Amino acid sequence: MSTGADLKAREGDIPNDNMTQEQSFKKGFCSLRHGLAFILHLCNFSIYTQQMNLSFAITAMVNTTVASSQLNASTERPPTDSQDVWNETLQESKAPVYDWTPEIQGILLSSLNYGSFLAPIPTGYVAGVFGAKYVVGLGLLISSVLTLFIPLAADAGVALLIVLRVIQGMAQVMVLTGQYSLWAKWAPPQERSQLITIAASGSMLGTFLVLIAGGLICQALGWPYIFYIFGGIGCACCLLWFPLVYDDPQNHPFISTGEKRYITCSLAQEDCSLGWSLPIKAMVKSLPLWAIVVSYFCEYWLLSTVMAYTPTYISSVLQANLRDSGILSALPFMFGCVCIILGGLLADFLLSRKILRLVTIRKLFTAGSSSHLESSCPCLGSDPAAPPQWPSWYYLLSLPASVIQEPSLTSWI
């Protein structure tokens, strides 16, 4: 495994007449490292469509008559005409429906996180030591294949579906965590935020597409096809991942000599040594590390709740047609997809021009994210009589600050 000293030694062997060529690779998006960011964008897109598909499909999978009887009398409202048409359309699709209580629905939606609670720690370490290519690729393949079997697992019983979702959650953590080990070897320090946010923006785009297309798929084909379509897209991404992605630029057969030298020289300027040892004792005693853990715990607690239960909230509480309100529900995530890329560009600009220190940039973005997410909490308990547009536009204002602080993930590499 290469160390910082090895990279610095290689830097000294590079002739000066090649420096002009290396400078050309600092600008523009036509490079292999940006191609890697695009492939990871597709992987994150697939993973988040697979995370969100049950959250949307469960509104069509559940017997609405039984589910509505479980609601509190104070929140019950007569169905609207559009909701009646929606229910009739779902019945005509001849897709199976289940008598799942709200408690069972909550367990099913949260089961994705059961196996992923402690999985990020060993996954990130294993990917850093043995290479992220197969860790990320295997996780994407397992999650995609299991997505295809969700309709069969639902027919077999709730217990099997919960087990499948737990395993799927662990596989998805392999993708979401392991990918950052790639950037430790591929991303020049001045471009790291940009590359990471291009890749991470696929998560918002995936959520946006599920909310936009989910209702149309349920109406035209039936809810099982939500899992078939997005599971198939994930399998297709694996066909791109395994032949085109390599753990480091030194072994990639298609990278140009100039780009390889540029990445090598950029990483040689960092005072870091990548090794096998993991300073667990120092990590436990590190107050900044615990501050990051608490910050991300609070952020993703609310963000996961919003992503998992927004479709159910709109359908059961607001009695809205999910197909018709899908655009408003998806707007925050489309806006977030754009802002997460702009946030990475902004972070790199502030860092490259030395306007702010790196630690200041991270603190500002993280603080802005936390304050905006906390402001969206009242939306979760809004008046059932409020129109469906209100929560959507409120999220539209709160989500961009959440995703714009994503460059702080570079602190781990």
Side-chain angles (χ1 to χ4, degrees):
M1 182 171 292
S2 300
T3 62
D6 297 333
L7 294 175
K8 291 180 180 178
R10 294 175 192 170
E11 182 183 11
D13 298 335
I14 298 174
N16 292 330
D17 57 359
N18 291 325
M19 295 304 295
T20 303
Q21 182 182 6
E22 293 169 15
Q23 293 294 326
S24 63
F25 289 96
K26 293 184 178 181
K27 298 180 180 180
F29 293 91
C30 297
S31 63
L32 202 61
R33 61 188 182 277
H34 285 91
L36 174 61
F38 178 72
I39 294 176
L40 278 170
H41 175 94
L42 295 178
C43 293
N44 288 322
F45 169 87
S46 299
I47 287 297
Y48 269 78
T49 56
Q50 294 165 19
Q51 283 188 357
M52 282 293 296
N53 51 19
L54 183 62
S55 299
F56 192 96
I58 199 169
T59 58
M61 297 169 67
V62 175
N63 188 331
T64 55
T65 303
V66 174
S68 61
S69 65
Q70 303 290 335
L71 293 175
N72 188 282
S74 61
T75 61
E76 286 185 349
R77 298 167 59 203
T80 61
D81 294 338
S82 61
Q83 184 70 12
D84 291 336
V85 174
W86 170 259
N87 293 335
E88 293 175 1
T89 303
L90 293 180
Q91 293 174 0
E92 292 174 359
S93 67
K94 296 182 180 179
V97 294
Y98 309 99
D99 297 334
W100 292 339
T101 63
E103 289 77 12
I104 293 178
Q105 295 179 49
I107 294 174
L108 289 173
L109 292 175
S110 61
S111 59
L112 196 68
N113 300 316
Y114 293 165
S116 61
F117 180 64
L118 296 177
I121 298 176
T123 298
Y125 179 71
V126 171
V129 173
F130 298 104
K133 174 180 180 178
Y134 292 104
V135 173
V136 175
L138 185 61
L140 179 61
L141 181 62
I142 293 174
S143 178
S144 301
V145 172
L146 291 180
T147 299
L148 298 174
F149 285 97
I150 285 181
L152 294 177
D155 283 335
V158 173
L160 180 60
L161 182 56
I162 292 175
V163 172
L164 186 147
R165 293 269 293 173
V166 170
I167 299 175
Q168 187 181 32
M170 297 176 66
Q172 291 177 358
V173 165
M174 294 171 62
V175 179
L176 299 176
T177 304
Q179 62 182 279
Y180 293 105
S181 297
L182 286 172
W183 297 124
K185 301 177 182 178
W186 274 95
Q190 300 298 326
E191 299 179 4
R192 190 164 291 166
S193 296
Q194 175 192 138
L195 293 170
I196 289 178
T197 50
I198 290 175
S201 63
S203 61
M204 292 293 162
L205 184 61
T207 305
F208 167 80
L209 187 62
V210 168
L211 292 173
I212 285 289
L216 298 176
I217 294 174
C218 285
Q219 182 183 30
L221 303 174
W223 64 260
Y225 283 88
I226 293 181
F227 302 100
Y228 298 149
I229 291 175
F230 292 114
I233 292 175
C235 293
C237 288
C238 293
L239 299 179
L240 288 175
W241 178 266
F242 286 106
L244 297 181
V245 175
Y246 285 77
D247 287 320
D248 57 70
Q250 301 297 329
N251 298 321
H252 204 292
F254 307 127
I255 191 172
S256 64
T257 304
E259 183 178 6
K260 183 188 298 185
R261 287 173 174 171
Y262 167 59
I263 296 175
T264 302
C265 291
S266 299
L267 296 178
Q269 300 173 6
E270 291 188 320
D271 294 328
C272 63
S273 179
L274 304 177
W276 292 72
S277 62
L278 185 65
I280 298 179
K281 185 177 181 180
M283 291 169 62
V284 172
K285 295 181 178 180
S286 174
L287 292 180
L289 176 59
W290 282 109
I292 294 173
V293 170
V294 172
S295 173
Y296 272 80
F297 175 85
C298 296
E299 175 189 344
Y300 283 99
W301 177 289
L302 181 56
L303 191 59
S304 299
T305 302
V306 170
M307 293 177 63
Y309 293 101
T310 294
T312 301
Y313 175 84
I314 293 177
S315 176
S316 61
V317 178
L318 301 180
Q319 294 291 323
N321 187 324
L322 288 182
R323 182 198 61 195
D324 297 337
S325 63
I327 296 178
L328 287 175
S329 301
L331 273 177
F333 300 100
M334 187 67 247
F335 196 64
C337 178
V338 176
C339 285
I340 191 174
I341 298 177
L342 296 179
L345 295 174
L346 176 61
D348 282 337
F349 173 79
L350 296 174
L351 183 61
S352 62
R353 298 298 178 90
K354 297 182 180 180
I355 298 175
L356 295 174
R357 294 188 305 162
L358 180 59
V359 65
T360 305
I361 296 172
R362 291 170 177 165
K363 289 180 178 179
L364 286 176
F365 282 21
T366 303
S369 164
S370 301
S371 61
H372 278 74
L373 278 176
E374 289 171 2
S375 68
S376 65
C377 286
C379 169
L380 298 177
S382 60
D383 183 3
Q389 294 88 338
W390 189 83
S392 299
W393 286 108
Y394 204 95
Y395 292 143
L396 181 63
L397 299 176
S398 64
L399 274 180
S402 167
V403 297
I404 203 173
Q405 63 95 19
E406 194 74 19
S408 64
L409 289 172
T410 58
S411 62
W412 295 99
I413 55 178

